[in-house]
Amino acid sequence: MSNFKTVRIDNESMKKLEEISETMAGQLNFKISKASALEHIINQYYEDYVVSNKNLMLRLINESSQEKKKEFQDMLDELKEQGIEPEFTVDEKGNFVWRK
């Protein structure tokens, strides 16, 4: 079974992807496929927006009042009771951290 999927991209987006690929190739001094360029874009977006926003959320929770932390802990406990394992947990210092 393949770990790859086929996606459809409109002509305008494909031209942009080709330009990105060519720009990356020029900067790195070797050819970059459109698939590799797309993978890089997805990974970069994920790191910049998804991971950064999750980290910001945890930082804000950790800097909040004990009352707010308690509310958040209660929410995590409810998720666990429902059989949902949250992506983060509480460390030995009482801070919310990403589960390893």
Side-chain angles (χ1 to χ4, degrees), residues 25-36:
Q27 292 172 346
L28 299 172
N29 291 324
F30 59 87
K31 188 164 175 55
I32 302 289
S33 70
K34 291 183 285 292
S36 292

Side-chain angles (χ1 to χ4, degrees), residues 66-76 78:
Q66 289 300 323
E67 182 179 316
K68 290 290 182 188
K69 280 184 170 181
K70 174 77 172 96
E71 288 176 24
F72 192 69
Q73 181 63 56
D74 291 345
M75 182 187 72
L76 290 179
E78 286 179 32

Side-chain angles (χ1 to χ4, degrees), residues 61-97:
I61 291 167
N62 286 325
E63 292 175 356
S64 65
S65 67
Q66 289 300 323
E67 182 179 316
K68 290 290 182 188
K69 280 184 170 181
K70 174 77 172 96
E71 288 176 24
F72 192 69
Q73 181 63 56
D74 291 345
M75 182 187 72
L76 290 179
D77 293 341
E78 286 179 32
L79 289 172
K80 287 179 184 176
E81 288 173 9
Q82 296 172 16
I84 300 169
E85 194 62 38
E87 292 181 76
F88 35 86
T89 187
V90 179
D91 68 7
E92 63 280 350
K93 296 178 183 175
N95 291 317
F96 292 92
V97 294

Side-chain angles (χ1 to χ4, degrees), residues 7-20 22 34:
V7 297
R8 294 173 144 289
I9 300 175
D10 63 83
N11 290 336
E12 184 178 338
S13 295
M14 181 57 82
K15 287 178 184 175
K16 290 176 183 177
L17 183 57
E18 288 170 353
E19 187 175 342
I20 291 167
E22 291 168 6
K34 291 183 285 292

